[in-house]
């Protein structure tokens, strides 16, 4: 909508609170693809993602109408946090869904960024295949690990931001990433898949 061109998400949220329903339509239009992609990446079920997406916006509307949103310059962050909480509520409702997390004695002192990804000089086709293989393997990770991988590598959030969004400590976020990397390396080894990207 050209009417709202140049208007920030935060300003749109406040306009909606003041009764401008078109401002909310614009917010929904701006947010839906990114938010749905995030939810789908975590839950891996289109129908469930639809339900969580709708629940996220219902909760956002309720919070906006109740005056629980203040312009902090981070509307999308606020919306993603609501979506995360809806996802976690959905997982809690699932019986028998066991999610492996880092234990309390998790020592992350040996985790070095250089060990996460080895770079080499190869062709673009090799990179595409590597990324395809990684995506397939990420898809089978437990949801909390998939979520932190998505936030870190696709949304490029810091571990501090991931911790705030998911309501856990930075160490837990790092632990989930560590377990994700261990699982990815194990799957790559078991399936003889090369994870090194070419530079």
């Amino acid at each position: 909508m050209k009417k709202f061109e140049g208007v920030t998400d935060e300003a749109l949220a406040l306009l909606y609170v003041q009764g401008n329903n078109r401002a909310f339509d614009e917010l929904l239009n701006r947010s839906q693809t990114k938010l749905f992609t995030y939810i789908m990446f975590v839950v891996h079920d289109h129908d469930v993602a639809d339900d969580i997406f709708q629940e996220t916006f219902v909760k956002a509307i309720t919070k906006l109408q109740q005056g629980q949103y203040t312009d902090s310059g981070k509307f999308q962050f606020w919306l993603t946090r609501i979506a995360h909480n809806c996802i976690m509520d959905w997982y809690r409702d699932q019986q028998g869904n066991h999610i492996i997390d880092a234990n309390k004695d998790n020592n992350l002192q040996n985790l070095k960024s250089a060990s996460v990804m080895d770079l080499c000089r190869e062709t673009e086709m090799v990179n595409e295949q590597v990324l395809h293989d990684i995506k397939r393997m990420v898809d089978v990770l437990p949801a909390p690990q998939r979520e932190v991988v998505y936030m870190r590598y696709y949304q490029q959030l810091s571990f501090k931001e991931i911790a705030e969004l998911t309501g856990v400590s930075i160490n837990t976020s790092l632990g989930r990433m560590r377990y994700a990397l261990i699982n990815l390396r194990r799957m790559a080894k078991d399936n003889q898949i090369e994870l090194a990207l070419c530079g």
Side-chain angles (χ1 to χ4, degrees):
M1 293 182 193
K2 288 189 175 181
K3 178 180 178 183
F4 295 114
E5 196 173 317
V7 179
T8 66
D9 293 346
E10 292 72 25
L12 287 171
L14 296 176
L15 283 170
Y16 171 68
V17 170
Q18 295 164 9
N20 188 330
N21 288 329
R22 289 192 178 179
F24 183 79
D25 291 343
E26 175 67 12
L27 268 178
L28 177 62
N29 189 44
R30 289 182 186 182
S31 306
Q32 61 187 359
T33 301
K34 185 176 180 181
L35 189 66
F36 185 83
T37 302
Y38 160 65
I39 295 168
M40 185 66 186
F41 191 88
V42 178
V43 301
H44 276 200
D45 183 298
H46 199 278
D47 292 335
V48 171
D50 273 338
D51 291 345
I52 292 172
F53 178 81
Q54 291 173 29
E55 184 182 349
T56 298
F57 270 95
V58 167
K59 287 190 175 180
I61 288 168
T62 303
K63 288 177 182 292
L64 285 166
Q65 290 174 343
Q66 292 174 345
Q68 295 179 17
Y69 174 78
T70 53
D71 182 2
S72 62
K74 295 182 177 182
F75 178 81
Q76 294 298 326
F77 189 85
W78 180 77
L79 195 59
T80 304
R81 173 75 178 167
I82 294 171
H84 165 79
N85 289 340
C86 291
I87 292 167
M88 292 303 108
D89 289 344
W90 179 80
Y91 273 112
R92 281 187 209 104
D93 290 342
Q94 303 306 302
Q95 296 299 332
N97 188 353
H98 302 289
I99 297 169
I100 300 168
D101 266 326
N103 61 33
K104 292 180 180 173
D105 300 325
N106 188 25
N107 181 357
L108 302 173
Q109 297 299 321
N110 297 323
L111 183 63
K112 306 265 191 258
S113 59
S115 69
V116 174
M117 188 179 290
D118 295 324
L119 298 177
C120 67
R121 300 269 175 213
E122 295 288 340
T123 65
E124 191 172 316
M125 281 177 41
V126 172
N127 281 344
E128 287 176 12
Q129 183 60 47
V130 169
L131 293 174
H132 175 73
D133 291 340
I134 290 171
K135 180 167 184 340
R136 276 193 357 233
M137 291 186 301
V138 167
D139 285 347
V140 299
L141 290 173
Q145 293 172 23
R146 268 199 320 269
E147 183 178 41
V148 76
V149 168
Y150 183 82
M151 289 179 167
R152 184 74 179 123
Y153 292 108
Y154 291 86
Q155 295 183 319
Q156 299 180 340
L157 298 177
S158 69
F159 282 107
K160 182 178 182 207
E161 290 170 322
I162 294 169
E164 287 175 26
L165 269 172
T166 57
V168 298
S169 69
I170 291 177
N171 276 349
T172 299
S173 293
L174 287 166
R176 287 176 179 173
M177 178 61 79
R178 179 175 173 259
Y179 277 98
L181 294 173
I182 289 169
N183 286 332
L184 289 172
R185 286 190 188 116
R186 180 184 46 75
M187 285 186 274
K189 184 178 178 185
D190 291 348
N191 295 289
Q192 298 179 345
I193 295 171
E194 179 61 52
L195 290 181
L197 282 178
C198 301

